[in-house]
Each structure stands twice: as structure tokens, then as C-alpha cells.
Amino acid sequence: MANENKTMLTYAGLKKYEDELHNLKVVKRQEVAQKIKVAREQGDLSENADYDAAKEEQSEIERRIDELERILKNAEVVVDDEIDIDKINVGCEVTLFDMEYDEEAVYQIVGSSEANSLEGKISNEAPVGAALIGHKVGEVVDVVIPSGATIQYKVLGIKKIS
């Protein structure tokens, strides 16, 4: 893993990951250590469900800490002042008109680790996000989705993610 890919993050995404990492290291580690201590005091560890559950929780916390540290180590933060709202890029909120369904949609273009379709955050690496990058207001964008179909969007507006 000498040359891991950079992870694009908005400033909000960076802050969210830093806060989560801090919480895991400072709060959650202590909580699970206390659970392990209490479970050990119960005696025989070979049949101690509380001990097993606490050790599993500890393992999950450590896995997440490793993942967050890797993301943050390889993070490339999109600086708000450098976002060019003349064209779509990471850190932009775009208003699109779906030409097939005759409706508007609003998406935030974010790095892949921040993507969450339920929150309207799409990755710059996903088919829609990748197709939109670099386009300007008024342009029609053809997006080829994994099924092979093409969706057309007209770009109605671009602004910085607030």
C-alpha cells in the first residue's frame, strides 16, 4: 500500500471524520475498556458472553479507528475558496432537471467516502457524479448508468455546499 489513492473530502466531511476519530479514541475506547474490566471480574472468561461482546466491540472500534486514520492520512480537502462554481466539481451543490422524469433534483458532489444517496450526496467517482464533473449551467449531461441506459440531466444551478 505504498501508493494509496487520495480521498477527496469536503471540509465538513473532514471535520466529521476528525470528530468521530476523537470520540472513538477518547470516549469509546474508555467505555469498552471498562466493560472488559467488569466482565473479567465476573470470573471464568471461557463462557462469559459479556466479555466476548466487549472484546468484539473493542475490535470494531479499533477497525473503525484504523479506517478513519487511513482516510484522514490520504485526505485531499476541497478548499471552499478554491471551488469554481462556474462548473461542477467536488464541493458543489447542483440543481439538475431530470429530462426523462420531468423533475428537479438537488445533489451535493462529494468524495467517495462521504457519499450517501439518502442525504443527496453523490460521489465524484459514481456514474452520475463523474459525468457531471466539469459541466456548466445550461448544459445537458448524458449519464450512462451501470445497466447501460442513458439518463439526461440539464444543469440548472451550481453553488458551493453550505
Side-chain angles (χ1 to χ4, degrees), residues 80-137:
D80 286 349
D81 294 343
E82 296 175 4
I83 296 172
D84 177 7
I85 59 169
D86 289 335
K87 61 184 183 203
I88 299 171
N89 210 328
V90 174
C92 290
E93 181 176 284
V94 295
T95 303
L96 304 172
F97 182 75
D98 184 322
M99 299 178 80
E100 180 180 351
Y101 292 104
D102 197 30
E103 63 185 15
E104 284 187 20
V106 177
Y107 296 111
Q108 293 179 354
I109 309 298
V110 297
S112 60
S113 65
E114 290 179 81
N116 183 333
S117 60
L118 298 176
E119 295 176 2
K121 295 178 179 181
I122 58 174
S123 168
N124 62 315
E125 298 172 11
V128 174
L132 292 172
I133 297 291
H135 286 278
K136 299 178 180 186
V137 172

